[in-house]
Amino acid sequence: MDISRRGWLGLAAAASAAAPARAITIRPMLTDPSGFAPAPGIAHLKYNENPLGPPASALQAMADLARQAWYYADDAEGLLAAMIGKRLGVPAAHVVLGHGSSEVITSAALAWGRRGTILVPALQFDEPLLYPIAQGLNYRRVAMAPDLGIDLGALGRAAAAPDVAMIYLCNPNNPTGMMLPAADLLAFARSLPPRVTLLVDEAYMELADDPATSTMLPLVQSGANIIVTRTFSKLFGMAGLRIGYAVASPANAAELKRHRLTISLNAPGLAAAIAAWDDAAFQQQSRAQISAARHVLQAAVARAGTIALPSQANFLFVKVANADRFAAAMAQRGILVRGAWGPAWPEWSRVSTGRMDDVARYAAALPELVQA
Ligand code: PLP
């Protein structure tokens, strides 16, 4: 982080003139006031971030282009969409960039929510739906399979209701990390009534064992009624730069664009994403590091005599005695992980791969705290 403590204090002073009660911290009590990182000694294993990023290529691009940030970045947006389309085998008109993939998912929920109900698996990341829900979105949760996987049979039955306009599912899923078998998801997508659009959130797909055979992108290419979203926040380690995208048919892409915020993309994020997109060496290293950290976590889970769900992402969903008590006990040691996802899953705690030294601290503490 290249913002000096004095810089922050200057910001704080300016802010306090306008709004005296507001503290300039991003994660109150846990954030080092000199930057965006947690305070020294805190292992932040809570938000599925990737400590390897941003890649050096992206840092260089941001530094080189910082002086040009007084321009609106429309042309860079077009360039990145074209680069993404070229690699993924679709014209740029199929690619919709967003302020993180969250923005395009929110846009989808706003657009399709006007047509009808949105189905969501009960145990799934759903933050991009919060704003549409506040706007009155009709959505329905669908129960999980007994193994905590997404229950495609139950979703298919629920989608038969005539009011259903969209299904939003994450593959791999968050917080479970589990991947749906590609053949099952393909058959499911083909079985849906034409009025139902399938939104597959592939935020973690590039970290999976075999992304090429697991992705639903070929369905988009074949003209199916499906939207796939991806992000620069995970593989590329750029969560704070807020760049993500959807890949969809031109008609669905145009609908998403109509529901996006106006001019929501930022110049440093676009510069970084354009540089990182072709940085194959970094992407390979990032996958390797995440996989290594996941193995350390899996070994710790086995040593602690418990289980984790089979994850293909940069986190594990670990079975403990009581997830809220476990997260509190870990926090006592300066290690931040997720407590219970909801009352239906009190025994499962999610831990992200994070920095290797932080992962090692978690691994060392787990056997003692698993029964907390
Ligand atoms: N989708 C899933 C499944 C996620 O877990 C997350 C963030 O953790 C996102 C989307 C949001 O990503 P972005 O940073 O691109 O908005």
Side-chain angles (χ1 to χ4, degrees):
M1 221 8 265
D2 203 16
I3 296 177
S4 67
R5 185 173 296 258
R6 193 191 299 160
W8 274 123
L9 293 176
L11 280 176
S16 67
R22 192 135 177 229
I24 302 290
T25 51
I26 294 155
R27 295 172 189 172
M29 313 301 291
L30 301 173
T31 305
D32 181 339
S34 64
F36 300 116
I42 299 291
H44 201 270
L45 301 175
K46 215 175 169 180
Y47 288 170
N48 301 345
E49 294 148 329
N50 175 3
L52 198 60
S57 54
L59 295 175
Q60 187 63 52
M62 285 191 285
D64 290 349
L65 294 170
R67 293 266 329 140
Q68 297 180 15
W70 60 275
Y71 291 110
Y72 289 113
D74 313 29
D75 289 351
E77 183 178 343
L79 173 62
L80 180 59
M83 289 170 75
I84 291 171
K86 188 166 174 217
R87 166 100 44 87
L88 303 184
V90 291
H94 288 63
V95 179
V96 182
L97 296 181
H99 184 78
S101 57
S102 296
E103 187 188 9
V104 281
I105 298 163
T106 299
S107 305
L110 289 171
W112 272 259
R114 292 161 65 101
R115 302 180 188 176
T117 298
I118 299 194
L119 301 180
V120 199
L123 179 57
Q124 183 184 285
F125 172 82
D126 60 4
E127 281 187 41
L129 300 186
L130 296 180
Y131 174 68
I133 289 170
Q135 300 303 309
L137 178 77
N138 286 318
Y139 68 102
R140 212 170 292 144
R141 302 238 180 235
V142 176
M144 307 305 287
D147 67 353
L148 296 188
I150 291 174
D151 189 338
L152 291 178
L155 278 171
R157 288 189 293 280
D163 64 314
V164 173
M166 172 171 269
I167 298 171
Y168 167 43
L169 59 82
C170 301
N171 196 41
N173 194 10
N174 174 14
T176 65
M178 289 165 75
M179 177 81 92
L180 286 161
D184 295 0
L185 188 50
L186 269 172
F188 172 74
R190 292 195 176 115
S191 74
L192 291 173
R195 83 187 130 73
V196 179
T197 303
L198 179 60
L199 169 51
V200 183
D201 177 342
E202 295 191 352
Y204 301 97
M205 181 59 77
E206 293 138 308
L207 311 180
D209 298 341
D210 191 359
T213 58
S214 306
T215 178
M216 290 298 116
L217 282 171
L219 276 184
V220 181
Q221 289 150 350
S222 73
N225 189 10
I226 181 169
I227 300 170
V228 172
T229 57
R230 296 246 177 128
T231 182
F232 282 83
S233 298
K234 308 300 176 183
L235 175 71
F236 294 91
M238 298 186 192
L241 287 165
R242 311 305 304 129
I243 303 287
Y245 57 95
V247 186
S249 68
N252 283 341
E255 185 68 351
L256 288 175
K257 282 184 181 166
R258 268 194 293 279
H259 290 81
R260 268 190 321 177
L261 286 175
T262 308
I263 321 177
S264 65
L265 289 157
N266 73 94
L270 284 166
I274 288 168
W277 184 248
D278 286 330
D279 191 340
F282 171 80
Q283 292 167 41
Q284 207 178 351
Q285 200 190 348
S286 181
R287 276 173 58 86
Q289 175 150 324
I290 287 164
S291 166
R294 199 166 61 203
H295 281 110
V296 172
L297 290 173
Q298 280 159 338
V301 165
R303 266 200 318 279
T306 186
I307 55 167
L309 296 183
S311 171
Q312 295 205 23
N314 62 344
F315 52 85
L316 281 189
F317 210 34
V318 179
K319 193 163 195 196
V320 296
N322 177 298
D324 285 335
R325 277 208 306 270
F326 173 77
M330 279 283 178
Q332 288 279 322
R333 299 185 181 198
I335 303 164
L336 305 185
V337 297
R338 281 289 306 246
W341 197 267
W345 306 281
E347 297 177 326
W348 294 90
S349 166
R350 192 191 68 190
V351 58
S352 310
T353 51
R355 289 177 6 180
M356 266 304 189
D357 51 341
D358 292 341
V359 165
R361 282 174 64 189
Y362 174 93
L366 182 66
E368 190 189 328
L369 299 186
V370 69
Q371 295 301 336

